[in-house]
Amino acid sequence: MPLSENEQRLLDEIEKQLEAEDPKLASAVRSTDLRTVARRRTRYAAILFIVGLIILVGGFVRPVSLAGIPIVGVVGFLLMFAAAIYGFGQYKRASGADLRVVDSFGSPRPPRAQRARSGPRRTTRRDGGLVNRLEQRFLERFDR
């Protein structure tokens, strides 16, 4: 939802005041982008994943076992696993895929799995014809 002219004017005034009072803070706020930070963290996770892979391979080259468990290999695998989970989360954040869904009133909607279902879902196809008739027959089986 775009800002009104009055809101935009007030926001511009606040921005000018901030820049006049503390130019260093204003430039730091302007240059900080959450997606840039998430991209950087994704790169760090990829590097950490590669380090975990090297440790895993090193565990096979020089096996160090404790009670029959290859400690170095397990540590490498756990490091790779943690880096992959962290990296995928940051990638999702960097790509903007984790933005919240907002309804028409501006309040966040719960995810699909949490929404209450009110009866059977019926979807109608707009392509009509045979597909629509077959779908209707299929849905009528459950109504009996």
Side-chain angles (χ1 to χ4, degrees):
M1 180 174 173
L3 298 174
S4 68
E5 288 182 28
N6 187 30
E7 292 170 332
Q8 185 64 43
R9 185 180 49 79
L10 287 172
L11 190 62
D12 290 339
E13 287 177 15
I14 292 171
E15 185 180 348
K16 287 177 186 175
Q17 288 175 358
L18 174 65
E19 193 162 332
E21 290 176 12
D22 195 356
K24 189 181 273 187
L25 175 66
S27 67
V29 169
R30 198 177 310 115
S31 67
T32 303
D33 181 22
L34 294 179
R35 289 186 180 178
T36 305
V37 172
R39 283 187 201 109
R40 185 180 322 125
R41 289 179 180 169
T42 304
R43 279 186 240 121
Y44 292 153
I47 292 169
L48 199 60
F49 184 86
I50 293 170
V51 168
L53 182 64
I54 291 169
I55 292 173
L56 178 69
V57 171
F60 286 121
V61 173
R62 295 223 182 239
V64 177
S65 318
L66 182 66
I69 300 172
I71 298 297
V72 177
V74 170
V75 169
F77 174 76
L78 291 176
L79 186 63
M80 286 172 54
F81 185 71
I85 289 176
Y86 183 71
F88 282 127
Q90 293 302 316
Y91 175 75
K92 205 171 144 185
R93 190 175 280 177
S95 65
D98 68 333
L99 299 176
R100 292 187 178 183
V101 177
V102 178
D103 64 5
S104 60
F105 298 109
S107 60
R109 289 190 332 205
R112 282 189 171 197
Q114 295 177 359
R115 287 188 214 148
R117 304 224 179 216
S118 58
R121 260 178 100 173
R122 294 189 184 216
T123 58
T124 57
R125 293 191 175 254
R126 293 191 178 147
D127 57 359
L130 179 66
V131 174
N132 195 12
R133 284 194 312 261
L134 290 174
E135 186 178 37
Q136 288 301 323
R137 287 182 192 168
F138 179 76
L139 291 174
E140 286 173 3
R141 289 181 185 175
F142 298 110
D143 289 339
R144 293 181 192 175

